[in-house]
Amino acid sequence: MGRNGENLASVLRRFPKRRYAELMLLLRQAVPTMESVEADYIETKELGLFFRERGFGRRWFADDVSDGTIQAVALFVTLLSREPGVLLEEPENSLHPWILRSFVNLLREYASVDSVGGVNRKTQVFMVTHSPIALDMLAAENVYVAERTDGSTVIRCATELVDDPAGLARYLSENALGLGDSWFSGLLGGFPE
């Protein structure tokens, strides 16, 4: 996949049938009316993305669907491509919170599973986010907060940002806060100067 997803259609066209089936399963969980996503040639003889939704007699070109739908396809394709390392810049952009939750669940699965059926699937994932929803789905030891201090950027693990790292989970549960709310409220820092 290219840096900005510019080759999404060609990557999808080369997907093995099994991975395509996984993609459609994920997309249907996120967008229940989705029937298919296809890479096909358009009038200019370039590859384009086409979407079929239940209840519509025709397929939709990528320009006809929401940015969130295209973003979801790109994110799921990226993880299903099983690259050893992935860098995601604000994947929450344009995504419905329900789809973001599905994506973060998949992200955690792919980052934690070493192999399935003898096939190495573990992927190192770096995600930059400003989404409390995404943060709520992650463990504190997997979250790092970047903060500008005296003209430089300091990056620290969320567990290092409180006086009692072992008590962070207890503090969060006692105060009915998730990790996202804690960050958003300023408890963990990470706000611009």
Side-chain angles (χ1 to χ4, degrees), residues 127-138:
M127 177 176 70
V128 177
T129 185
H130 296 108
S131 170
I133 293 168
L135 288 174
D136 279 343
M137 299 182 69
L138 301 171

Side-chain angles (χ1 to χ4, degrees), residues 93-126:
N93 288 344
S94 302
L95 286 187
H96 187 284
W98 178 262
I99 297 173
L100 179 60
R101 285 186 176 103
S102 295
F103 174 71
V104 173
N105 281 334
L106 179 68
L107 183 147
R108 285 190 344 223
E109 176 187 331
Y110 275 59
S112 64
V113 175
D114 286 325
S115 68
V116 171
V119 177
N120 187 1
R121 287 182 30 168
K122 192 166 190 172
T123 298
Q124 180 71 46
V125 179
F126 294 93

